[in-house]
Amino acid sequence: MKISYNWLKDHIELTEQADDIANILTKSGLEVEKTEVYESIKGGLEGLIVAEVLTCEKHPDADKLKKTTVNTGNGIVPVVCGAPNVAAGQKVILATVGATLYPKDHDPITIKKAKIRGEVSEGMICAEDEIGLGTSHEGIMVLDTDLPAGTPASVYFNIESDTVFEIGLTPNRADAASHLGVARDLKALLKKNLKTKEISFSPDNTSQKVEVIVENKEACPRYAGVTISNLKVQESPDWLKNKLKSIGLSPINNVVDITNYILHDLGQPLHAFDLAKVKGNKVIVKTVAAGTKFVTLDGVERKLSANDLMICNESEPMCIAGVFGGLESGVTDQTTAIFLESAYFSPDYIRKTGQHHGLKTDASFRFERGTDPNMPVYALKKAATLLKEVAGGEISSDIIDIYPEPIKNFEVQTSYSRINRLIGKSIPKEVVKEILGNLDIKVISEQEDDIHLSIPPYRVDVQREADIVEEVLRIYGYDNIELGDRLSSAYLADFPLKEEDKIKRTISKVLSDNGFNETVTNSLTKPGYADLLNVRDTSVEILNKLSEDLGVMRQSLLFSGLEVITYNINRKQKDLKLFEFGKTYHKTDKGYEEKNHLALFMTGNVSAESWMASAKPVDFYALKTEVVRVLTKLNLKDYELKPLESPEFSLAVSLVKNGKELVRLGEVASKISKAADVKQTVFYADFNMDLLIKQFNNNIEYKEISKYPEVRRDLSLVLDKKVSFDEIRNLAIKTERKLITDINVFDVYEGKNIGEDKKSYSISFILQDYEKTLTDKVIDNTMQKLMDAFEKQLGAVIRK
């Protein structure tokens, strides 16, 4: 939101510099993200002066050029000019050497001393387009003025300069979405009074009466209006255009400009209807049948919902209330009379309508957050008197104000001791009351420590005790709260740490301790990603999307992670270990659902090269090690490893416990990587966090270290290629649960010597008895049981 420093002075006396005001606002919660200088003409005409042409003669070496001498007020300089209308005795605008010009639709030009066809020229006599004042280039500007030579051109043209604050307005501060709203804060911060302006309002006649009927009083608690006739729609005066331009708005015409001015001045949206289009001289505020077609000002035909509040005439809708005007009833150059609307609409209705149609306007931005219900009539009077000034015409009706149930002030009870305890400093009662009073918060009653407060309805963000504390603190100043020798805090509510948060913290520590960096990415993503995973039908689409690239909610953390990898690789960071906790979003037959996930990404090298060892690239087993590390930390075991076929992987497995998938991991398919512009191999693991939390075992099991030695025995098995080590491991544990403490593969061989469809595993078995020393007989019997099981159930050949 843009706020003009000069415009603020219309509401409050400011002697402080603009930078000081920016700092004061930021400290109070209205963060000024940046400031910029606005000039009604770019460059402020710096280096341009009023000058007088003393002599003018034909250039000796060019038919279309003239050689002049010009009085600058500080001497006489030669200037070569190509304008056909230049003549001695004229007052002109001269760009002196060093001045920079900003022509319309052209690059800037810096004036230098030059020789033009052999004649010295020290400046340039300007046409209006050359200094950004217009588009005419028929000749130089000839001034009708008594100003002496040397007068800055900015004085002649009354150039305005302003400082504009870019405020990052938080959603709760709807009251500050105007110059008056910001001035109210400055009133409390600077302890100054606002400039109260009484508006002298009276109708010129009552010749253009309009009947107003509010059918839906829930959606429209207050509706006001007035008619203005015999006006002329034309260009706005410079003061009004400059006001709007300073905050980035483009002037349109005097009627529309006044409504925009009031919106940004007082925070009250207005709408002007062409009175000739108000059929039957009736304005009816109501909802219409669902599916009714309506063409808005942008020329788009929209289908209305049953909950859209409409401003209608006797026979048809004219405007989507508080959101967007209609094409047919808008003000045009031919308009001579208007009906001017000023209302308070229910934020809920406006918000739902805006979302339904995907419309965001300056008016809906304010209405859906909550405007001041006490402002419509004042804003209407100010707008009507300004319209008479800039458009002529007559106020041709009394003000219509339908307000059957006035909106009451909010009331909050609190105590000085409670305020002081939550702030952390004892603030005198009189200071607290002064701050509240300067914020228009009145004390209804006061009994010793307790106070009962009344808050004006435009402060929609102040309805609780916590809000009162915040208001006192931000005006008193966060920087004025000293840090004591001991730190303590108080809260309005308890915040117990959830089991889910504890588990996430545990996982984060495990991963970060092993070289992983956490990422946080956007939940909105490209619709095309869903096509790659064949899940487009279950995508959750955004109705009011910011862009096509952010058109759906993500169904996987994979692509946002790959985008992070691309960003880092493009900056020469190729060895990456990343993790992210995040949600995915899915459309189902029953509605929508969210799922919690943990994603791991590894790419590049596991370890960088050094004088001791070569660089080791990431592979599947490096990722599996990290996955197992996480599961082990959560005390999850007895899971099975199963092959997995899924479009996001070229090679993958899943770890399953009790028939449910804990995690899937593998190498990302090349077509998936390419979609995110990743040109190196990526390994990815996707944990089902909801299941991890349910399966989490908080019971730590331990047993005494055995006093008896362990024994290692090796077997070499020739098996079909399709038999995995996991099958061997599971069968071994099933065959001998008591004595086997560890199983490991230390060699795998494939070759012609054992057959094309075969492979050989060399496996070590660690045997140990916790109660006695193993004998050769027990060991031999155990190994024989294993060999028999491998031969019978897996078709293994034991190599001896």
Side-chain angles (χ1 to χ4, degrees):
M1 181 187 71
K2 291 188 175 182
I3 293 293
S4 155
Y5 174 71
N6 288 344
W7 197 335
L8 282 174
K9 292 179 180 179
D10 292 347
H11 294 285
I12 188 169
E13 191 69 38
L14 294 178
T15 56
E16 295 78 5
Q17 296 296 314
D19 288 345
D20 294 330
I21 295 296
N23 187 44
I24 290 168
L25 289 173
T26 298
K27 286 184 176 180
S28 72
L30 295 179
E31 182 184 2
V32 177
E33 296 175 337
K34 68 175 182 178
T35 61
E36 56 187 26
V37 174
Y38 165 78
E39 293 165 323
S40 53
I41 296 178
K42 190 173 181 180
L45 300 184
E46 186 175 353
L48 277 70
I49 61 172
V50 174
E52 183 179 3
V53 180
L54 298 179
T55 65
C56 178
E57 58 187 50
K58 184 179 176 184
H59 191 289
D61 198 27
D63 293 337
K64 293 185 178 181
L65 297 179
K66 292 180 180 178
K67 184 175 135 181
T68 70
T69 57
V70 179
N71 178 14
T72 66
N74 193 32
I76 298 172
V77 297
V79 176
V80 175
C81 181
N85 64 327
V86 64
Q90 293 173 336
K91 289 283 184 73
V92 295
I93 295 296
L94 177 72
T96 60
V97 173
T100 299
L101 305 182
Y102 297 88
K104 290 274 188 181
D105 304 321
H106 288 86
D107 294 332
I109 302 169
T110 299
I111 304 301
K112 299 177 181 179
K113 183 177 179 179
K115 270 193 174 184
I116 302 175
R117 294 290 185 93
E119 295 295 329
V120 174
S121 183
E122 297 183 13
M124 186 173 90
I125 303 174
C126 302
E128 67 174 38
D129 66 325
E130 292 168 334
I131 59 175
L133 278 176
T135 58
S136 173
H137 194 71
E138 294 179 359
I140 61 167
M141 301 177 69
V142 179
L143 310 182
D144 182 12
T145 180
D146 294 328
L147 289 172
T151 302
S154 58
V155 173
Y156 176 81
F157 289 109
N158 193 24
I159 301 302
E160 290 190 22
S161 180
D162 195 2
T163 299
V164 179
F165 307 123
E166 183 79 47
I167 295 180
L169 194 67
T170 51
N172 62 313
R173 291 301 307 275
D175 65 291
S178 68
H179 287 78
L180 174 61
V182 174
R184 282 170 173 155
D185 261 17
L186 289 173
K187 167 193 170 187
L189 292 162
L190 301 175
K191 299 181 182 179
K192 295 183 177 182
N193 293 323
L194 293 180
K195 296 179 180 178
T196 55
K197 295 181 180 179
E198 292 295 329
I199 298 174
S200 177
F201 177 89
S202 62
D204 298 299
N205 56 67
T206 56
S207 62
Q208 296 288 348
K209 292 183 178 180
V210 171
E211 182 184 1
V212 175
I213 302 169
V214 179
E215 292 186 3
N216 191 331
K217 294 180 176 61
E218 178 190 1
C220 180
R222 186 174 194 179
Y223 192 92
V226 69
T227 61
I228 302 171
S229 58
N230 298 323
L231 53 76
K232 183 177 181 181
V233 177
Q234 58 190 354
E235 186 177 347
S236 295
D238 287 342
W239 72 264
L240 179 55
K241 290 192 290 185
N242 284 331
K243 289 276 192 188
L244 299 180
K245 286 179 180 178
S246 70
I247 59 171
L249 298 181
S250 298
I252 298 172
N253 59 53
N254 50 3
V255 175
V256 175
D257 291 349
I258 285 294
T259 62
N260 283 332
Y261 169 77
I262 295 295
L263 170 73
H264 291 275
D265 184 51
L266 303 177
Q268 175 63 49
L270 305 176
H271 188 73
F273 298 92
D274 188 328
L275 189 58
K277 303 297 175 65
V278 183
K279 297 178 181 178
N281 276 356
K282 281 187 178 181
V283 170
I284 306 170
V285 185
K286 62 179 182 178
T287 54
V288 297
T292 301
K293 293 180 181 180
F294 180 71
V295 181
T296 46
L297 274 171
D298 55 359
V300 176
E301 183 179 84
R302 305 176 190 275
K303 286 187 178 180
L304 303 176
S305 77
N307 292 320
D308 290 341
L309 184 68
M310 304 299 295
I311 311 300
C312 307
N313 58 31
E314 189 176 51
S315 58
E316 61 191 1
M318 298 187 294
C319 173
I320 303 177
V323 180
F324 214 8
L327 184 63
E328 293 298 321
S329 62
V331 173
T332 67
D333 292 343
Q334 287 72 46
T335 299
T336 58
I338 62 170
F339 174 76
L340 190 61
E341 163 196 285
S342 182
Y344 173 80
F345 297 117
S346 162
D348 291 342
Y349 273 82
I350 302 303
R351 189 180 304 114
K352 289 175 183 177
T353 293
Q355 289 177 342
H356 175 73
H357 294 289
L359 288 171
K360 293 292 180 184
T361 61
D362 282 344
S364 68
F365 175 87
R366 288 158 178 81
F367 278 130
E368 68 186 20
R369 285 163 174 78
T371 56
D372 183 0
N374 297 322
M375 183 60 71
V377 170
Y378 179 84
L380 203 59
K381 288 179 178 179
K382 185 171 183 177
T385 54
L386 285 172
L387 277 169
K388 283 189 67 176
E389 176 186 330
V390 303
E394 304 167 341
I395 299 174
S396 48
S397 76
D398 290 317
I399 285 182
I400 303 159
D401 184 19
I402 298 177
Y403 196 19
E405 295 184 19
I407 294 172
K408 297 179 180 179
N409 286 10
F410 306 119
E411 294 187 11
V412 173
Q413 287 188 316
T414 185
S415 67
Y416 294 109
S417 59
R418 181 75 163 160
I419 292 171
N420 290 336
R421 185 169 71 84
L422 292 170
I423 287 177
K425 180 177 179 177
S426 181
I427 302 175
K429 290 183 180 180
E430 294 308 313
V431 173
V432 172
K433 284 195 286 187
E434 181 184 26
I435 290 172
L436 295 175
N438 287 335
L439 291 169
D440 297 334
I441 298 173
K442 297 180 180 179
V443 178
I444 299 175
S445 63
E446 182 179 2
Q447 292 182 345
E448 295 182 358
D449 191 47
D450 296 328
I451 49 174
H452 186 192
L453 302 170
S454 173
I455 300 101
Y458 70 79
R459 287 307 305 269
V460 292
D461 61 319
V462 183
Q463 300 184 34
R464 306 167 302 162
E465 181 185 49
D467 302 326
I468 295 294
V469 175
E470 181 185 6
E471 289 303 293
V472 173
L473 179 55
R474 72 183 187 85
I475 300 300
Y476 182 78
Y478 297 99
D479 292 345
N480 292 325
I481 307 300
E482 302 86 357
L483 290 178
D485 296 333
R486 296 172 58 193
L487 290 177
S488 63
S489 60
Y491 301 93
L492 295 173
D494 294 328
F495 299 96
L497 190 63
K498 297 180 181 178
E499 191 73 22
E500 176 184 342
D501 296 329
K502 293 180 182 178
I503 294 172
K504 285 184 176 180
R505 184 183 295 174
T506 299
I507 294 172
S508 296
K509 189 173 188 312
V510 169
L511 293 171
S512 58
D513 286 350
N514 286 278
F516 280 79
N517 290 303
E518 185 173 6
T519 64
V520 179
T521 60
N522 200 338
S523 294
L524 300 175
T525 191
K526 298 178 182 178
Y529 288 154
D531 294 331
L532 294 171
L533 299 181
N534 301 320
V535 290
R536 187 65 175 267
D537 292 342
T538 58
S539 290
V540 179
E541 294 191 19
I542 304 300
L543 296 180
N544 56 334
K545 60 188 70 172
L546 297 174
S547 69
E548 288 302 320
D549 282 349
L550 300 174
V552 299
M553 304 294 284
R554 65 185 176 194
Q555 292 211 38
S556 170
L557 302 186
L558 174 58
F559 293 101
S560 55
L562 290 175
E563 288 174 350
V564 172
I565 289 172
T566 300
Y567 183 88
N568 280 272
I569 290 174
N570 289 342
R571 286 153 182 81
K572 309 301 182 185
Q573 303 299 313
K574 297 185 178 182
D575 302 333
L576 301 168
K577 297 168 76 174
L578 308 172
F579 74 97
E580 178 178 8
F581 294 102
K583 294 180 183 291
T584 59
Y585 307 85
H586 312 268
K587 184 166 62 177
T588 68
D589 294 337
K590 298 180 181 179
Y592 300 96
E593 66 176 0
E594 296 179 351
K595 296 179 181 178
N596 290 293
H597 291 261
L598 164 64
L600 268 57
F601 297 89
M602 295 181 71
T603 186
N605 293 319
V606 177
S607 57
E609 62 180 350
S610 71
W611 63 274
M612 296 180 64
S614 302
K616 182 182 179 183
V618 171
D619 57 19
F620 170 82
Y621 300 101
L623 177 65
K624 184 187 174 188
T625 297
E626 304 298 343
V627 169
V628 171
R629 199 191 307 276
V630 170
L631 296 177
T632 302
K633 190 66 179 180
L634 299 180
N635 205 14
L636 292 173
K637 52 188 178 180
D638 299 331
Y639 44 79
E640 300 178 63
L641 188 148
K642 294 186 176 182
L644 174 69
E645 290 188 6
S646 186
E648 67 259 47
F649 297 107
S650 58
L651 179 66
V653 297
S654 63
L655 303 185
V656 179
K657 183 177 174 69
N658 299 328
K660 295 181 179 179
E661 186 178 76
L662 290 171
V663 56
R664 49 177 53 195
L665 64 149
E667 180 182 335
V668 177
S670 59
K671 71 172 184 177
I672 301 293
S673 297
K674 288 178 182 177
D677 203 27
V678 178
K679 298 181 176 63
Q680 64 188 48
T681 303
V682 178
F683 291 89
Y684 164 64
D686 180 16
F687 290 82
N688 182 338
M689 273 301 296
D690 293 319
L691 186 57
L692 284 188
I693 291 167
K694 287 180 181 178
Q695 298 276 3
F696 171 59
N697 185 359
N698 203 25
N699 297 318
I700 299 174
E701 297 179 4
Y702 63 93
K703 54 187 175 182
E704 186 180 358
I705 297 174
S706 177
K707 300 176 183 178
Y708 305 101
E710 62 183 30
V711 175
R712 169 174 167 162
R713 290 291 185 268
D714 297 342
L715 284 180
S716 184
L717 310 177
V718 177
L719 300 144
D720 290 341
K721 280 187 177 182
K722 64 182 180 180
V723 179
S724 67
F725 168 69
D726 204 52
E727 292 178 84
I728 299 171
R729 182 180 180 278
N730 291 338
L731 179 57
I733 292 172
K734 181 180 178 182
T735 302
E736 180 50 71
R737 291 182 179 274
K738 183 180 178 182
L739 299 182
I740 296 177
T741 60
D742 193 21
I743 305 172
N744 183 49
V745 176
F746 60 87
D747 189 36
V748 178
Y749 171 77
E750 293 182 41
K752 295 180 180 179
N753 295 336
I754 59 172
E756 290 185 2
D757 297 328
K758 302 289 184 179
K759 60 182 174 182
S760 172
Y761 284 108
S762 293
I763 305 174
S764 65
F765 298 87
I766 304 298
L767 308 177
Q768 188 175 40
D769 194 322
Y770 283 80
E771 298 176 357
K772 58 182 180 294
T773 301
L774 290 172
T775 64
D776 289 341
K777 183 178 180 181
V778 172
I779 294 169
D780 292 341
N781 286 340
T782 299
M783 297 306 297
Q784 188 60 52
K785 281 198 302 181
L786 291 174
M787 288 187 286
D788 291 344
F790 294 151
E791 288 174 338
K792 291 178 181 178
Q793 297 189 41
L794 299 179
V797 175
I798 311 298
R799 299 180 70 187
K800 301 177 181 177

